[in-house]
Amino acid sequence: MAGTTTVADVMAELAELEDPKAREVNERHGDDHGVNLTKLRALAKRLKTQQDLARELWATDDTAAKLLALLICRPKAFERDELDAMLRAARTPKVHDWLVNYVVKKNPHAEDLRVAWSADPDPVVASAGWALTTERVAKKPEGLDLDRLLDVIEAEMKDAPDRLQWAMNHCLAQIGIEHPEHRARALAIGERLEVLKDYPTSPGCTSPYAPTWINEMVRRRQTETVA
């Protein structure tokens, strides 16, 4: 299928993969498509990397097509302004998350976009900036002002819109997990703000409530170290 595939070919195949039950589940999470993601990934594997086709699929504005585009694109091939426009057109949570995690994080403009998006007045765009900041907190914290990040989280997370609040909370937890010198303050902020304290958590999963999350991840690492 790779090589001479047209957008029409792919859209026809996506239509065949449409599953009403999958759509029902996805729509509960704000994602308007009915394609099983395992099957979508299998299709992407067959298509392999095709940057031009990826751009054409993205332009359809169909959610399943956009997700597929993110799987077959070449992340480093996008220009900064192109990625900015794509994020603002992402619409659904899954497209937004895959764009940030699978494409932007691998792009040379990631740091520039992180700074710009973090200050954006649109809370969904800002949440992408925080997601990129969380990545740096974990993997490349040099140059980040963690005290200032904690100041902003302490002042703004409690009243932030859902997507932004979730991203800021993840950053708070990551600071507490990865940086022992800031752990006590991160725990204190989480305990005082109580963000996501009552979030329903499946058995075997770690609560997103930052103090629980931090303590559990630190405990696991200490157990692994001893073992």
Side-chain angles (χ1 to χ4, degrees):
M1 193 172 179
T4 57
T5 314
T6 67
V7 171
D9 293 333
V10 177
M11 297 305 291
E13 184 151 0
L14 288 174
E16 288 176 15
L17 293 174
E18 176 74 22
D19 178 352
K21 289 183 180 177
R23 178 174 284 274
E24 188 180 334
V25 171
N26 290 332
E27 285 184 342
R28 284 204 293 270
H29 298 99
D31 293 307
D32 56 349
H33 75 93
V35 179
N36 176 284
L37 295 181
T38 301
K39 293 180 178 178
L40 190 77
R41 291 181 188 278
L43 175 56
K45 195 172 181 179
R46 283 208 332 271
L47 288 169
K48 299 187 172 63
T49 302
Q50 297 191 54
Q51 180 68 7
D52 291 342
L53 179 60
R55 281 195 167 103
E56 291 176 40
L57 286 169
W58 183 271
T60 66
D61 205 33
D62 175 86
T63 294
K66 283 187 166 186
L67 291 171
L68 182 59
L70 297 172
L71 294 175
I72 67 168
C73 73
R74 189 172 289 107
K76 293 180 180 178
F78 292 103
E79 295 299 327
R80 179 206 181 280
D81 291 348
E82 189 175 12
L83 288 173
D84 183 68
M86 288 170 73
L87 184 82
R88 295 172 194 279
R91 289 195 300 110
T92 67
K94 185 67 72 179
V95 173
H96 175 102
D97 291 343
W98 281 20
L99 175 61
V100 172
N101 288 300
Y102 296 170
V103 180
V104 179
K105 284 181 180 179
K106 300 174 184 176
N107 184 277
H109 301 289
E111 178 60 15
D112 184 24
L113 289 168
R114 181 190 75 81
V115 174
W117 287 344
S118 295
D120 198 277
D122 182 329
V124 175
V125 174
S127 74
W130 278 92
L132 294 172
T133 298
T134 301
E135 174 89 348
R136 272 203 61 190
V137 166
K139 296 183 178 178
K140 194 180 176 184
E142 299 79 20
L144 283 181
D145 186 340
L146 298 181
D147 280 316
R148 194 188 77 78
L149 285 175
L150 289 171
D151 288 344
V152 175
I153 291 168
E154 189 169 22
E156 300 177 12
M157 181 171 75
K158 182 79 171 177
D159 299 317
D162 288 350
R163 295 288 298 281
L164 179 55
Q165 184 184 70
W166 188 273
M168 293 174 87
N169 182 72
H170 190 179
C171 190
L172 173 65
Q174 207 68 53
I175 291 172
I177 293 164
E178 301 289 346
H179 301 279
E181 69 277 19
H182 295 283
R183 187 169 297 149
R185 187 182 174 199
L187 288 166
I189 290 171
E191 288 165 1
R192 187 170 67 78
L193 299 184
E194 297 187 335
V195 167
L196 300 174
K197 186 175 183 178
D198 300 319
Y199 191 84
T201 306
S202 303
C205 296
T206 303
S207 169
Y209 175 51
T212 303
W213 191 353
I214 293 167
N215 286 326
E216 175 60 18
M217 295 308 294
V218 170
R219 183 194 67 77
R220 285 186 200 176
R221 289 185 182 184
Q222 289 171 342
T223 303
E224 288 167 5
T225 302
V226 171

